Amino acid sequence: MNSLGFNKSEKDTKVVVAMSGGVDSSVAAVMLKKQGYDVIGITLKLYNNSNVSKNKSCCAGIDIQDAKNVALNNDFEHIVLDYQDKFFNGVINNFVDSYANGETPLPCVKCNETVKFSDLLNEAKKIGADALATGHYAIRKGSLNNASLHKAKDFAKDQSFFLFATQQEQLNYVRFPLGDYKKKEIRQLAEKYKLSVSEKPDSQDICFVTSDSYRDLVKNLNPSVNKKGIIYDLYNNILGTHDGISNYTIGQRKGIGISGSKNALYVIDINKDQNSITLGTKEKLKKNVINFKNINWLGGNILPNKLDCSAKIRSTQEDLPGILDINSDLGTFTFEKELDNTSPGQACVFL
């Protein structure tokens, strides 16, 4: 059995590698090639914006050329697929709609869920690939038909949070060659392989936002979100007006435009139907019980009704212990200590 879990030789195992043009996916592709696998690199063209390449992006014009060069210099096939429409409809529109609905979007999750692990995965299967490999920092364990998802060795770079929406069938097919490496080791391998991208900076979280603020993108694509509304306190007293709910997120303190309060005020609630915002003091943000729906279990076995485990609601948050309670497709997670800045649209990821 080879390192990817297939009962055949490396040269007889065809692997499509999703190449963003960055150091991680480039190392993943070259690593597999050097191990003897039949590698095909695929880069997705996600947007056509000359300004994007000036930021820490992925899949922009310069990134496509970087991926091509890596493939050419290491003697494996490289394909570019134009996914601009798919990316716009599946990721950018969802991002804009989420803010218009008073929610906090997760564009990297949506990109993995729709473009990478749905459309690209299907492309890989069409060309007869045995697996799709990516440069994500995560670990896949288990058999070909019952894989489970785990945190990467490098906790500081772990990306398993962004993969929570991956379906079981997709996880069975996907591989993460970098999961057992530290980021420092990947940079060292890039230098060892003499890759031109060895010192290329990592991509930013929201690769398609090219201005200083996501609000510019939201306003340009959906001008209706700029509708003025009322700002209330927790007792329904009017404090002022706002210029559109998309300009605010739960837990926001700065840029609200309300002064004169003895205590610092935070956004406690965003009401889309009333086009209103409610402010309150920081303690009103705190809660330790999270209600959620649309559970996706990637634990490799049957989902229990109750489980002591850890969870987090933001990728940068530390794992916090608590109790998971499941009732069909709905559930709650009770953290041992209170959190703040919880917002509709976020994910609660169990670890």
Side-chain angles (χ1 to χ4, degrees):
M1 183 174 293
N2 61 39
S3 63
L4 297 183
F6 297 99
N7 191 24
K8 53 183 176 180
S9 67
E10 287 82 0
K11 68 181 179 63
D12 293 324
T13 304
K14 182 180 290 188
V15 185
V16 163
V17 182
M19 298 183 68
S20 66
V23 62
D24 295 326
S25 59
S26 296
V27 169
V30 176
M31 178 190 297
L32 293 173
K33 173 66 177 178
K34 289 184 176 297
Q35 289 174 4
Y37 289 100
D38 180 9
V39 172
I40 300 175
I42 293 184
T43 301
L44 305 179
K45 183 179 182 181
L46 300 183
Y47 28 64
N48 186 17
N49 186 331
S50 59
N51 292 327
V52 172
S53 62
K54 297 177 183 178
N55 290 308
K56 296 178 181 180
S57 63
C58 67
C59 305
I62 191 172
D63 305 301
I64 293 173
Q65 190 58 51
D66 285 340
K68 283 183 179 180
N69 292 338
V70 169
L72 179 64
N73 293 334
N74 289 276
D75 194 28
F76 61 86
E77 183 180 358
H78 180 261
I79 301 170
V80 178
L81 299 177
D82 190 339
Y83 269 34
Q84 292 180 79
D85 290 342
K86 292 177 182 292
F87 186 69
F88 193 91
N89 294 329
V91 180
I92 297 179
N93 275 344
N94 176 268
F95 178 85
V96 173
D97 290 344
S98 293
Y99 276 115
N101 291 329
E103 300 175 342
T104 300
L106 295 169
C108 292
V109 171
K110 203 65 179 177
C111 184
N112 289 330
E113 180 184 2
T114 57
V115 175
K116 292 179 181 176
F117 289 169
S118 179
D119 296 321
L120 178 56
L121 186 146
N122 289 334
E123 295 284 357
K125 288 184 175 181
K126 283 181 184 179
I127 61 178
D130 295 288
L132 169 67
T134 77
H136 286 101
Y137 286 85
I139 292 176
R140 173 198 178 280
K141 295 181 180 180
S143 65
L144 297 179
N145 299 313
N146 192 30
S148 57
L149 181 65
H150 302 264
K151 294 180 66 175
K153 176 182 178 180
D154 191 338
F155 287 172
K157 285 293 182 180
D158 173 61
Q159 293 173 299
S160 60
F161 178 92
F162 297 107
L163 301 171
F164 78 85
T166 307
Q167 298 300 303
Q168 184 66 62
E169 182 181 357
Q170 296 169 339
L171 185 61
N172 292 340
Y173 189 73
V174 176
R175 301 295 186 273
F176 308 113
L178 308 189
D180 288 316
Y181 290 85
K182 296 278 191 177
K183 177 71 179 194
K184 180 179 179 180
E185 295 174 312
I186 296 304
R187 290 285 184 186
Q188 291 171 344
L189 282 174
E191 293 178 2
K192 177 183 176 181
Y193 297 155
K194 295 181 171 56
L195 302 185
S196 58
V197 296
S198 61
E199 296 183 2
K200 190 173 182 178
D202 294 338
S203 61
Q204 62 182 16
D205 287 340
I206 308 178
C207 59
F208 54 86
V209 175
T210 59
S211 67
D212 292 334
S213 173
Y214 72 87
R215 295 179 176 89
D216 295 333
L217 175 68
V218 174
K219 289 176 182 177
N220 288 336
L221 295 180
N222 188 357
S224 64
V225 300
N226 296 324
K227 182 180 177 181
K228 288 184 178 294
I230 303 297
I231 299 178
Y232 296 97
D233 66 13
L234 291 170
Y235 306 100
N236 287 324
N237 296 312
I238 296 177
L239 300 178
T241 60
H242 64 78
D243 292 326
I245 61 174
S246 67
N247 296 303
Y248 304 88
T249 55
I250 301 295
Q252 180 177 333
R253 176 186 175 187
K254 297 181 178 179
I256 299 175
I258 300 296
S259 60
S261 173
K262 294 181 180 179
N263 300 307
L265 295 178
Y266 298 77
V267 177
I268 303 297
D269 183 60
I270 299 174
N271 190 313
K272 175 196 173 185
D273 295 332
Q274 295 181 6
N275 190 37
S276 66
I277 294 170
T278 301
L279 306 182
T281 54
K282 189 171 184 178
E283 57 265 23
K284 298 298 182 181
L285 286 171
K286 296 185 179 298
K287 62 174 68 174
N288 69 326
V289 178
I290 304 295
N291 298 305
F292 53 83
K293 59 182 179 179
N294 301 326
I295 300 166
N296 185 41
W297 184 252
L298 296 172
N301 48 34
I302 298 175
L303 174 63
N305 292 326
K306 196 165 187 175
L307 180 67
D308 290 333
C309 61
S310 295
K312 59 182 179 181
I313 59 173
R314 290 185 297 277
S315 62
T316 55
Q317 176 192 335
E318 64 176 326
D319 307 345
L320 298 174
I323 299 175
L324 171 65
D325 282 292
I326 301 296
N327 182 11
S328 185
D329 196 37
L330 301 175
T332 62
F333 192 88
T334 304
F335 288 95
E336 289 185 359
K337 68 178 186 179
E338 291 182 321
L339 307 176
D340 54 25
N341 293 5
T342 61
S343 175
Q346 288 178 308
C348 184
V349 178
F350 322 125
L351 304 155

